[in-house]
Amino acid sequence: MRAGHPVDPLTVADGIRHAGHHDIGVEILHRLFVETPSVSSAGRYSSIVRRHARGRRLVHAAHELSTAAMTGDEDQIRAAAGRIATELGEEAP
């Protein structure tokens, strides 16, 4: 592959064959191209990661709130409820 030249399953297959490797099929390369994350989608991927991280933080804080509620520790209840409110973008109780 040369800098500035298009990279797609056909050009990669041609380059691999030219290098003497004949056991890679275009179908396999096409699958790799389709299933490999693209830099052009990095913004979308980062929003997915942020959304999942937020969900994990909410689940963790909800678990802490549940545990604190069972023990009756008012300070821990307020702290966990505050973390949940912060994640939800609300004012803490």
Side-chain angles (χ1 to χ4, degrees), residues 63-81:
H63 176 72
E64 288 178 342
L65 178 59
S66 174
T67 301
M70 294 300 288
T71 64
D73 186 324
E74 291 291 325
D75 290 336
Q76 287 182 353
I77 291 171
R78 283 190 189 88

Side-chain angles (χ1 to χ4, degrees), residues 1 5-18 26 29 33:
M1 302 290 91
H5 288 255
V7 177
D8 59 44
L10 293 176
T11 59
V12 171
D14 184 60
I16 290 172
R17 285 189 191 106
H18 185 70
V26 175
L29 291 172
F33 271 76

Side-chain angles (χ1 to χ4, degrees), residues 13 15 21 29 60 76 81 90:
H21 303 282
L29 291 172
H60 182 72
Q76 287 182 353
E90 300 174 358

Side-chain angles (χ1 to χ4, degrees), residues 32-93:
L32 287 172
F33 271 76
V34 169
E35 294 178 4
T36 302
S38 169
V39 172
S40 64
S41 299
R44 177 72 180 125
Y45 299 150
S46 68
S47 70
I48 292 168
V49 170
R50 283 192 305 274
R51 186 178 71 242
H52 285 266
R54 180 177 183 248
R56 287 189 301 275
R57 288 191 302 270
L58 282 167
V59 167
H60 182 72
H63 176 72
E64 288 178 342
L65 178 59
S66 174
T67 301
M70 294 300 288
T71 64
D73 186 324
E74 291 291 325
D75 290 336
Q76 287 182 353
I77 291 171
R78 283 190 189 88
R83 283 191 292 281
I84 292 170
T86 298
E87 283 300 325
L88 296 174
E90 300 174 358
E91 188 175 313

